[in-house]
Amino acid sequence: MSTAIAYTELGGPEVLTTIDIEVPAPGAGEVALRVEAVGVNPLDLKLRAGLRPSPPITEPRRIGSDAAGIITVGDGVEGYLPGDAVIVTGARGAYATDLVVPASHVVRRPEKVSAAQGAALGIPVGTAYQTVQSLGIGPEDTVLVHAASGSVGQAVVQFARLYGATVLGTTSDRRADRVAALGATPLPYGPGVMDRVHELAPQGVTVAIDLVGTDE
């Protein structure tokens, strides 16, 4: 029997429970996989806590949309075979031991990418890519990324650098080395942060991306 994480009432992490589930056989254009890791996204928390409106709960509600795992059944899908390591995005109920998803929702996982890293790519990296593309960031830009050490922030830094932009990133002292390693100039949080921005970018900032979303 396979298991999944679900909840039947809104609240904190304590409302999450383990349930037994039946996993259907994959249909045409689908693959089954054994889950190795799942992505934990802000939307999961907001829905579970009631911070984002959702329909009434009438049965155990499963969560999660991103995962990584090993295909167990996929003989009828071109390009994938049992044993292939894949990344899953846009799934329903990814917090589970087993999943069946459309093959269009999986991509092969590179050997150097761990299951945990692969499961963390979907929503954060997708959000970052959409942001950088929508803003048309390029070599002429100086980009200020607020909260550059977060999951979306790290991806934004990498995409912006890939497209040739100069990047400044606010971060805690603890994560400054990580931000620098990704190609951004780290800016410590706290009083005087705007003065530090002006010192490092006297010509001004062409794009500012706020990934904190709070008043400070």
Side-chain angles (χ1 to χ4, degrees):
M1 178 67 71
S2 300
T3 59
I5 301 297
Y7 58 95
T8 57
E9 60 180 328
L10 301 179
E14 68 277 359
V15 303
L16 297 173
T17 59
T18 302
I19 62 172
D20 293 329
I21 58 171
E22 292 285 346
V23 180
E30 294 182 326
V31 295
L33 64 138
R34 188 74 175 179
V35 175
E36 295 182 294
V38 295
V40 180
N41 295 302
L43 179 61
D44 302 328
L45 180 153
K46 292 176 182 178
L47 289 172
R48 186 203 70 222
L51 299 175
R52 170 174 266 186
S54 63
I57 301 174
T58 57
E59 58 184 16
R61 177 175 291 171
R62 293 173 56 183
I63 56 176
S65 59
D66 299 335
I70 304 296
I71 289 181
T72 55
V73 182
D75 300 278
V77 177
E78 184 176 354
Y80 295 102
L81 292 172
D84 286 345
V86 295
I87 295 168
V88 181
T89 58
R92 297 186 66 180
Y95 283 38
T97 56
D98 298 271
L99 282 178
V100 172
V101 297
S104 59
H105 288 224
V106 304
V107 295
R108 198 176 303 280
R109 175 162 56 88
E111 290 184 6
K112 293 184 178 180
V113 176
S114 70
Q117 290 169 332
L121 291 178
I123 287 181
V125 175
T127 300
Y129 180 77
Q130 183 181 29
T131 300
V132 172
Q133 284 288 304
S134 297
L135 293 169
I137 291 173
E140 302 302 318
D141 286 305
T142 296
V143 181
L144 173 62
V145 182
H146 191 31
S149 65
S151 55
V152 178
Q154 291 188 48
V156 165
V157 168
Q158 292 176 81
F159 280 126
R161 292 292 296 127
L162 180 66
Y163 298 139
T166 298
V167 183
L168 313 178
T170 61
T171 177
S172 65
D173 291 337
R174 182 172 60 89
R175 302 297 297 276
D177 287 346
R178 175 62 176 168
V179 172
L182 295 177
T185 300
L187 287 167
Y189 290 126
V193 65
M194 290 310 299
D195 291 334
R196 292 190 285 276
V197 171
H198 288 307
E199 290 174 5
L200 292 171
Q203 77 284 4
V205 170
T206 58
V207 178
I209 301 174
D210 178 11
L211 300 173
V212 176
T214 57
D215 289 343
E216 64 269 24

